[in-house]
Amino acid sequence: MSSRLDAEYADPTPLRVRIDTHERYSEKPHDPGADVLAALGLAGTEYLADVGCGDARFLAKLIAHGHRGPLLGIDTSAAMVAAADSLPGVRGIRADACRIPFDDDTFDVLTARHMLYHVPDPTTALREFRRTTKAGGTVAVVVNHAETCPYVGELVDAHAASYGIDRGETPYRTVDSETLPGLMSDVFGSVEVQRRDNALVFDTPAPLIRFAEAIFGPRGIPADHPDRDAVLADLSADVEDWFAHHPGRTWRDPKGYVIATAVVTD
């Protein structure tokens, strides 16, 4: 993972804001964790590794559902590993998805949710997922649509550009919901895909502004950027103005993801 992504995930707060926004302001019910659990059909005793575990809320969900098998959270961010380690019965490991420090045929289940598009070489990561998962075990991968919340992204980019901030080249979106099934088929063979189409819907400015600020990092505006506060102030005024001039209307931004699962064969 690049130093830029390391900086982005050093503080888990923006990630939590993004997740909470999707949970609260989605047009349709939004629970990718539940979708993954439904796709896996766990018995509750499996050794499960969650690669790119983020703030570990998926692992917490497993514990809440009574999972009794070993749980492992893998992430490149020390803050995210600490979040996994803080859960009872969960072990956090700081590692790269392309170099998982475990033997062949270790895990019964491996999940990788909303992280593969951060990996410069997703095929290498998928091969690592297969290598470390036992024959007969399941790998579940979740990635977003290529165009997820494009209007908020365009808004942030436009205000950043007004201060000469260039988003620049990023390793993001090396894989998306359209390309993932083919990549997984090349590595695993048969793949089952479930698609979820949705949208974020805001009827007041404040949650939209909070969400926009939470994607500053991925759009090239780090927390320590000297113009960050100015960008946020201008963007906030723009959003407030939009709602003032569109009474009774909502801001709707399309989004979605796929859950792709594959059973490892010999």
Side-chain angles (χ1 to χ4, degrees), residues 18-26 30 57 200 255:
R18 295 196 295 269
I19 294 172
D20 291 342
T21 300
H22 284 292
E23 290 179 350
R24 294 183 60 188
Y25 296 97
S26 289
H30 173 93
R57 68 179 63 199
L200 283 179
K255 62 169 186 164

Side-chain angles (χ1 to χ4, degrees), residues 7 221-228:
I221 314 172
D224 60 353
H225 195 284
D227 293 318
R228 180 187 178 93

Side-chain angles (χ1 to χ4, degrees), residues 43-44 56 71 73 89 105 110 129 139 142 162 164 170 179 184 191 233 239 251 258:
L71 295 173
D105 308 318
L110 184 147
F129 298 169
V139 173
V142 182
S162 72
T170 72
T179 59
M184 287 191 67
V191 177
V239 171
W251 176 294
V258 296

Side-chain angles (χ1 to χ4, degrees), residues 199-225:
L200 283 179
V201 179
F202 303 101
D203 58 8
T204 57
L208 172 53
I209 293 167
R210 283 196 300 272
F211 181 70
E213 184 181 11
I215 67 168
F216 273 18
R219 313 302 289 201
I221 314 172
D224 60 353
H225 195 284

Side-chain angles (χ1 to χ4, degrees), residues 170-194:
T170 72
Y172 299 167
R173 304 301 179 258
T174 53
V175 62
D176 55 46
S177 60
E178 297 299 324
T179 59
L180 176 65
L183 290 172
M184 287 191 67
S185 292
D186 289 343
V187 174
F188 296 98
S190 179
V191 177
E192 184 173 332
V193 179
Q194 300 177 50

